[in-house]
């Protein structure tokens, strides 16, 4: 029996890219750090919030790469010259990836009280009706 995929279904034409995006997001290696929320702030807008306590704005990078929102964090090593009796706060790097649908644009990013908020908006597409002329063969 053959595996039925979006790209091979006879009524779903041109969805190969969607299938690749689903595979890529499943393999993106997003572990549990840092924790995040995704909320719908209106009918056409969303907000991703990451808990990035200990990171400054300079430690974070937000990019859009091939319809994928990538948030990276890397802290500098400030342990030089310090003697820790206990070190329970991890200073580790991270990368979080979110696949964006067509029409979803990244707005502003706000850092507030150890939380990084990234706002997204979805543009409303105009309904398009196209009439195809039939030529005589």
């Amino acid at each position: 029996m053959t595996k039925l995929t979006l790209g091979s279904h006879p009524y779903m034409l041109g969805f190969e890219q969607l299938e690749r995006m689903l595979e890529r997001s499943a393999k993106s290696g997003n572990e549990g750090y840092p924790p995040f929320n995704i909320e719908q702030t209106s009918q056409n807008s969303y907000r991703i919030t990451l808990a990035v306590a200990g990171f400054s704005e300079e430690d974070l990078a937000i990019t859009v790469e091939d319809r994928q929102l990538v948030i990276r964090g890397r802290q500098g090593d400030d342990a030089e010259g310090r003697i820790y009796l206990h070190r329970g706060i991890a200073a580790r790097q991270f990368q979080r990836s979110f696949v964006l649908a067509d029409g979803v644009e990244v707005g502003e990013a706000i850092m507030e009280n150890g939380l990084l908020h990234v706002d997204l908006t979805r543009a409303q597409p105009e309904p398009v009706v196209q009439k195809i002329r039939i030529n005589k063969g």
Side-chain angles (χ1 to χ4, degrees):
M1 185 167 139
T2 352
K3 178 183 170 191
L4 188 62
T5 62
L6 287 176
S8 67
H9 194 279
Y11 300 117
M12 311 254 323
L13 303 175
F15 283 89
E16 296 84 7
Q17 182 181 359
L18 176 62
E19 190 169 11
R20 283 192 299 272
M21 283 193 313
L22 288 171
E23 288 175 4
R24 186 176 59 198
S25 69
K27 296 177 185 176
S28 66
N30 282 340
E31 52 199 53
Y33 179 78
F36 66 94
N37 293 335
I38 301 175
E39 61 183 300
Q40 186 170 3
T41 54
S42 76
Q43 187 169 349
N44 296 313
S45 62
Y46 309 91
R47 175 173 269 189
I48 298 172
T49 301
L50 283 83
V52 290
F55 287 85
S56 69
E57 290 88 347
E58 294 79 28
D59 296 332
L60 301 169
I62 304 170
T63 57
V64 177
E65 304 167 12
D66 191 28
R67 301 304 309 154
Q68 190 166 348
L69 171 65
V70 180
I71 304 171
R72 293 180 178 92
R74 170 178 243 131
Q75 291 177 315
D77 188 18
D78 65 345
E80 192 173 310
R82 293 184 178 192
I83 300 172
Y84 288 97
L85 300 179
H86 172 75
R87 188 165 185 179
I89 301 173
R92 59 181 173 170
Q93 63 186 18
F94 70 86
Q95 176 174 315
R96 279 276 182 199
S97 301
F98 303 90
V99 177
L100 302 175
D102 286 337
V104 174
E105 298 296 326
V106 179
E108 67 178 340
I110 303 164
M111 185 82 140
E112 171 183 59
N113 299 325
L115 298 174
L116 175 66
H117 304 288
V118 180
D119 292 326
L120 308 169
T121 56
R122 180 195 317 258
Q124 284 297 333
E126 296 291 324
V128 176
V129 176
Q130 182 180 5
K131 184 164 175 98
I132 310 299
R133 197 175 96 197
I134 301 173
N135 297 317
K136 293 183 181 181

